[in-house]
């Protein structure tokens, strides 16, 4: 058993003069304070990677920078799924008695600390070095290929995909820490610059500076009690040329295993936090997870199903598409927002009921998946 006892999140966007370690530290300090703990009580540290500071011992580098001496330290790398993968590992560590309080942290100054070309090159390396990278595609190009196939198979349109960008921006307008605060329409998305058709600029998440953190503990540290009910992973491929059929991707595998581990059904879920690096990512994952039927997620967006006051509130902070994406910390913001909603601390964004939350992270090109259920105990 484990509990999410504290969360911390910086604003996303530009943080001039702040390094990856600085942003991680800002988020970590907030999370530890939120848990009602002192730094010295943290006996485990899990951190993700940083493309700006690609140190081979980033976990201990951060521990030294932050001023803690953990008994357990580990860095994790599974792309965008890293944040939830670390949370899952922390859950197992405290459940096994290896540590009492594990700090999970991610952050990067990817926007101000790295040139556009360097960022593109770093992200492009997700491709196969012989069969893909040599042809010049980047992450949006890979997802553009997936989008084209998905649209062909399930009758999804570019306007359908645009609905997800509009929804995430609508939610971001209510969060002061979001990178974007200008409302957009489906027409705006359709008119935005082509990036990798059918994906356009507003179908893609931005590059951001920011940091996020949480503390996973063996027992509650205060009145707020949110526990990890169950979680699971699936890793079907790394490269898009080796990917299985669209109907056999890892999200369906991980959610089935997570439901079994947690003993819950999708009908029990009251809040959803789902990875949204691109509009196609969010559309596909919502359907793979059982939150909509194939090809019908956009219709549910239009009907208000995923609104803050809808039947299944989704990414109420604005997600990667509008809150921002700073690497590992990007998807961790989903976890922070879920915790705030579950503990009644989301302010004007507060939903009616977030007693059971489903979180899902995706790494690579729909390659690595982590599904997790959180439950409010009280």
């Amino acid at each position: 058993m484990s509990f999410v006892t504290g969360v911390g999140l910086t604003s996303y966007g530009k943080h001039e003069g702040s390094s990856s370690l600085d942003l991680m530290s800002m988020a970590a300090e907030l999370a530890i304070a939120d848990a009602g703990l002192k730094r010295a009580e943290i006996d485990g540290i899990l951190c993700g990677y940083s493309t700006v500071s690609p140190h081979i011992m980033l976990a201990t580098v951060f521990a030294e920078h932050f001023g803690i001496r953990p008994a357990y330290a580990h860095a994790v790398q599974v792309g965008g799924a890293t944040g939830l993968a670390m949370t899952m590992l922390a859950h197992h560590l405290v459940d096994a008695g290896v540590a009492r309080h594990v700090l999970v942290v991610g952050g990067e100054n990817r926007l101000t600390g790295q040139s556009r070309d360097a960022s593109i090159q770093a992200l492009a390396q997700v491709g196969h070095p012989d069969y893909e990278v040599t042809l010049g595609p980047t992450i949006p190009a890979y997802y553009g290929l997936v989008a084209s196939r998905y649209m062909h198979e399930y009758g999804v349109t570019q306007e359908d995909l645009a609905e997800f960008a509009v929804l995430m921006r609508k939610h971001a307008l209510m969060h002061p820490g979001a990178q974007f605060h200008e409302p957009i329409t489906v027409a705006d998305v359709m008119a935005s610059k082509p990036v990798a058709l059918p994906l356009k600029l507003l179908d893609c998440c931005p590059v951001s500076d920011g940091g996020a953190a949480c503390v996973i503990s063996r027992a509650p540290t205060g009145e707020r009690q949110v526990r990890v009910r169950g979680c699971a992973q699936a890793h079907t491929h790394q490269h898009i040329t080796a990917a299985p059929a669209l109907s056999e991707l890892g999200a369906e595998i991980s959610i089935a295993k997570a439901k079994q581990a947690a003993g819950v059904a999708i009908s029990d879920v009251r809040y959803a936090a789902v990875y949204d690096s691109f509009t196609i990512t969010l559309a596909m994952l919502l359907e793979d997870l059982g939150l909509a039927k194939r090809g019908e997620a956009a219709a549910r967006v239009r009907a208000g199903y995923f609104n803050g006051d809808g039947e299944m509130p989704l990414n109420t902070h604005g997600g990667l598409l509008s809150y921002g994406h700073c690497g590992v910390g990007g998807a961790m913001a989903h976890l922070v927002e879920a915790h705030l909603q579950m503990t009644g601390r989301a302010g004007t964004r507060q939903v009616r009921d977030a007693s059971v939350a489903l979180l899902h992270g995706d790494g690579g090109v729909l390659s690595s998946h982590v599904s997790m259920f959180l439950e409010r105990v009280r």
Side-chain angles (χ1 to χ4, degrees):
M1 182 178 293
S2 75
F3 293 82
V4 184
T5 52
V7 293
L9 181 67
T10 72
S11 62
Y12 282 12
K14 282 190 175 182
H15 283 270
E16 296 281 0
S18 293
S19 68
S20 292
L21 292 175
D22 292 335
L23 293 164
M24 290 165 68
S25 296
M26 291 165 60
E29 189 167 6
L30 291 170
I32 293 171
D34 193 46
L37 299 172
K38 297 177 181 178
R39 293 191 190 197
E41 295 177 273
I42 299 296
D43 53 358
I45 170 72
L46 295 173
C47 78
Y49 57 89
S50 166
T51 60
V52 180
S53 306
H55 201 285
I56 61 172
M57 295 179 65
L58 190 58
T60 47
V61 168
F62 171 75
E64 179 183 81
H65 178 84
F66 193 60
I68 58 176
R69 292 185 175 183
Y72 185 98
H74 193 56
V76 178
Q77 291 181 301
V78 277
T82 300
L84 285 186
M86 292 193 296
T87 306
M88 180 175 174
L89 176 55
H91 161 67
H92 289 312
L93 287 170
V94 301
D95 188 49
V98 175
R100 291 182 65 244
H101 303 291
V102 178
L103 173 66
V104 177
V105 61
E108 253 190 276
N109 58 328
R110 191 176 285 187
L111 179 58
T112 61
Q114 196 173 52
S115 70
R116 179 184 299 178
D117 288 347
S119 182
I120 291 172
Q121 282 302 312
L123 295 173
Q125 300 314 305
V126 73
H128 192 286
D130 297 323
Y131 307 130
E132 296 172 3
V133 173
T134 53
L135 299 175
T138 61
I139 288 281
Y142 296 123
Y143 274 92
L145 290 171
V146 172
S148 295
R149 185 66 195 178
Y150 199 79
M151 291 166 67
H152 171 74
E153 289 197 17
Y154 297 106
V156 174
T157 67
Q158 292 189 39
E159 288 83 0
D160 287 338
L161 296 183
E163 294 284 357
F164 298 95
V166 173
L167 176 65
M168 291 301 96
R169 185 61 60 89
K170 181 170 69 173
H171 287 175
L173 297 178
M174 300 179 68
H175 199 305
Q179 186 165 347
F180 296 124
H181 287 113
E182 304 80 27
I184 58 173
T185 64
V186 169
D188 292 329
V189 179
M190 295 298 293
S192 63
K193 175 183 175 182
V195 173
L197 290 175
L199 302 178
K200 297 160 291 297
L201 185 64
L202 292 177
D203 285 299
C204 309
C205 65
V207 173
S208 318
D209 296 340
C214 67
V215 177
I216 307 299
S217 304
R218 197 181 307 171
T221 58
E223 290 296 315
R224 301 187 303 267
Q225 296 187 16
V226 173
R227 74 181 181 102
V228 178
R229 177 74 181 257
C231 41
Q233 299 185 20
H235 307 272
T236 54
H237 64 283
Q238 173 59 41
H239 305 111
I240 194 67
T241 47
L246 293 179
S247 59
E248 302 170 8
L249 292 172
E252 289 188 86
I253 301 170
S254 67
I255 189 63
K257 291 162 62 179
K259 286 191 293 186
Q260 184 175 12
V264 300
I266 292 299
S267 58
D268 297 320
V269 176
R270 296 294 177 264
Y271 179 85
V274 180
Y275 197 80
D276 60 316
S277 51
F278 301 93
T279 52
I280 183 61
T281 319
L282 186 54
M284 290 178 65
L285 290 178
L286 288 171
E287 295 169 9
D288 286 351
L289 296 171
L291 294 171
K293 293 181 180 179
R294 295 285 185 197
E296 296 182 8
R300 288 203 150 182
V301 173
R302 292 190 188 97
Y305 186 83
F306 296 114
N307 287 349
D309 60 355
E311 192 170 335
M312 184 65 68
L314 169 71
N315 299 350
T316 49
H317 64 306
L320 300 171
L321 285 165
S322 279
Y323 191 87
H325 193 1
C326 61
V328 173
M332 286 190 66
H334 290 65
L335 187 152
V336 172
E337 178 72 2
H339 193 271
L340 293 178
Q341 290 286 2
M342 297 181 81
T343 54
R345 298 184 294 156
T348 57
R349 304 184 309 283
Q350 186 63 49
V351 303
R352 288 191 304 272
D353 176 15
S355 53
V356 177
L358 165 61
L359 291 78
H360 187 87
D362 155 46
V365 187
L366 300 165
S367 313
S368 291
H369 296 266
V370 182
S371 300
M372 178 177 294
F373 291 97
L374 301 181
E375 176 186 44
R376 184 178 65 230
V377 180
R378 71 177 192 190

